[in-house]
Amino acid sequence: MAIAEDLIWPSAGMSSAPAANASAGAVRLYFLLLGALGLAALVLGIENRLTPGLFAIAPPVDLIPPLSDHAWFGAFTLHQQDPVFSACGGSENLAQFKLLYWWEWLRRGSALLLAGSFASGFLISGLLPKYRFAWRRHAALCLIGLGYVGAVWCLDFAVPRVEDLVRYNTGQYRHALDMTFGNVALAVVLTSAIVPPTGLPSARRLSRAGWIWIGLIILDICSGALFASRDAITVWRSFPGYETGVLPPLDRLAAYTPLWLNFTFNQYMIQLVHRILSIGLWLALIGNMIWTGRRNPRALLGAAALVLLMTAQMAAGIAALVLGGSAVASFLHGVGAVFLLAGAFVVLTPPHQSGEMSQA
């Protein structure tokens, strides 16, 4: 099946049973809640660029935070006795401590609420026949979680055994995995909120071409996660070219040996790869939109939506680059990747309709 024929924006005129509509509405609200909690957990726990320059180690928090000035001062005094506090400079003041305390408290709270909400939805969809049609979405999220656990295990297994990696700080690879799998899981949740499962015969399926587009977007997200984890923005902040030419000098792009280490550790090469992937994906989506408009005008809206989402996400990334890592621009760039992937899931999974299956 041609790519353009997969880019069908979901039709609002699909007929469905009233009972299924009621159940789908409840499921939509559930996934909206899950998406909001997931976004909070992602921002607070994984991709935090909003508290730069503060103490790197979060303070211990209690279920009930300090409620008086005396309690805050006592908690801060206890925090100052931590050996890590002195090791990291010991320059944090009480106001900064409060900010980090609330940040950590909200991070843990959002993570606990997210886990509890997901567990409740998983059990309800598995035990109640009325909502069993939503169980597959929960199973997909569980598979993403298992994939994350497997990737972390492979990373922990490989790093100590690869001599070229042991010499460097490889903690950023774990952070890149957190960001990649977190973005994918959140995109699946948002997709389920936009187009909730209904249990009706008109099931939505991704075609082979759709999976290719999804894979390319995830690959771009993965390269962006490594970009952020290695803080590659610090070495190359101009766009579209380098300060002294189109690209950085070759000795900076290939500064590490063996050569493959440049693609996983060299900040210059990591940023170059991310730029190539993002620009290439953007151009491919534009070309596909033009081709779609000529071959299947009915699918043009979906193709144009993907181009718009990709353009907005790239614009936020370029703004973060030239503004020296702006917290707002970085946040919009990261969230934009989630909405781009969710939009791709929505647009690339048209409902099957009898008599409307086109031939390639």
Side-chain angles (χ1 to χ4, degrees):
M1 180 175 288
I3 295 177
E5 291 164 349
D6 297 328
L7 295 171
I8 309 295
W9 195 263
S11 172
M14 295 288 295
S15 60
S16 57
N21 276 339
S23 300
V27 170
R28 184 194 298 273
L29 291 176
Y30 161 74
F31 278 114
L32 282 173
L33 173 63
L34 208 63
L37 292 173
L39 182 61
L42 184 71
V43 173
L44 294 170
I46 298 178
E47 195 175 3
N48 174 19
R49 289 180 176 268
L50 302 180
T51 58
L54 297 185
F55 190 59
I57 306 300
V61 298
D62 298 321
L63 180 62
I64 299 178
L67 300 178
S68 65
D69 293 340
H70 179 73
W72 275 114
F73 184 77
F76 182 50
T77 301
L78 184 64
H79 178 53
Q80 289 176 309
Q81 297 173 2
D82 190 335
V84 180
F85 181 85
S86 299
C88 291
S91 59
E92 178 186 326
N93 57 41
L94 180 59
Q96 292 172 329
F97 170 75
K98 288 183 177 181
L99 174 61
L100 287 177
Y101 190 101
W102 282 116
W103 190 280
E104 179 66 9
W105 191 84
L106 290 173
R107 184 191 70 81
R108 295 190 183 187
S110 63
L112 288 174
L113 286 174
L114 177 63
S117 299
F118 175 78
S120 300
F122 183 84
L123 291 175
I124 290 174
S125 63
L127 297 177
L128 297 183
K130 181 180 179 181
Y131 296 105
R132 194 155 295 165
F133 60 87
W135 187 86
R136 287 189 177 182
R137 299 289 176 95
H138 291 85
L141 291 170
C142 288
L143 289 177
I144 294 173
L146 290 176
Y148 169 74
V149 172
V152 170
W153 182 88
C154 291
L155 178 65
D156 293 340
F157 178 83
V159 167
R161 292 165 177 79
V162 179
E163 183 179 354
D164 295 307
L165 289 177
V166 173
R167 295 178 294 165
Y168 304 100
N169 176 18
T170 56
Q172 65 273 352
Y173 299 135
R174 174 65 179 270
H175 185 65
L177 288 178
D178 292 346
M179 292 175 62
T180 300
F181 280 90
N183 284 345
V184 173
L186 183 54
V188 172
V189 171
L190 290 178
T191 302
S192 302
I194 297 171
V195 186
T198 62
L200 297 176
S202 57
R204 307 168 65 89
R205 296 264 195 273
L206 267 175
S207 69
R208 185 178 304 173
W211 280 114
I212 292 175
W213 283 108
I214 294 296
L216 290 174
I217 294 173
I218 293 177
L219 180 62
D220 189 40
I221 290 175
C222 184
S223 71
L226 186 58
F227 176 104
S229 299
R230 286 290 294 127
D231 203 16
I233 194 175
T234 59
V235 300
W236 183 3
R237 292 183 175 176
S238 58
F239 187 87
Y242 191 62
E243 289 89 344
T244 58
V246 178
L247 297 176
L250 184 60
D251 60 342
R252 296 188 181 184
L253 289 172
Y256 294 87
T257 55
L259 185 61
W260 63 264
L261 195 59
N262 291 283
F263 293 91
T264 60
F265 198 80
N266 187 334
Q267 294 168 301
Y268 287 97
M269 182 62 77
I270 289 172
Q271 184 171 160
L272 176 61
V273 170
H274 184 53
R275 289 187 183 210
I276 292 174
L277 286 174
S278 297
I279 295 174
L281 181 59
W282 180 64
L283 293 174
L285 288 172
I286 291 176
N288 181 71
M289 180 183 66
I290 297 173
W291 188 80
T292 299
R294 295 177 177 177
R295 293 289 302 270
N296 189 1
R298 190 166 57 94
L300 180 60
L301 181 60
L306 290 183
V307 173
L308 181 62
L309 288 171
M310 185 67 194
T311 302
Q313 202 256 348
M314 284 186 60
I318 294 172
L321 197 67
V322 299
L323 294 176
S326 164
V328 175
S330 299
F331 169 77
L332 293 176
H333 182 60
V335 173
V338 176
F339 280 94
L340 172 63
L341 184 57
F345 277 125
V346 172
V347 171
L348 296 170
T349 50
H352 292 309
Q353 302 182 40
S354 60
E356 293 188 7
M357 297 298 292
S358 304
Q359 300 296 324

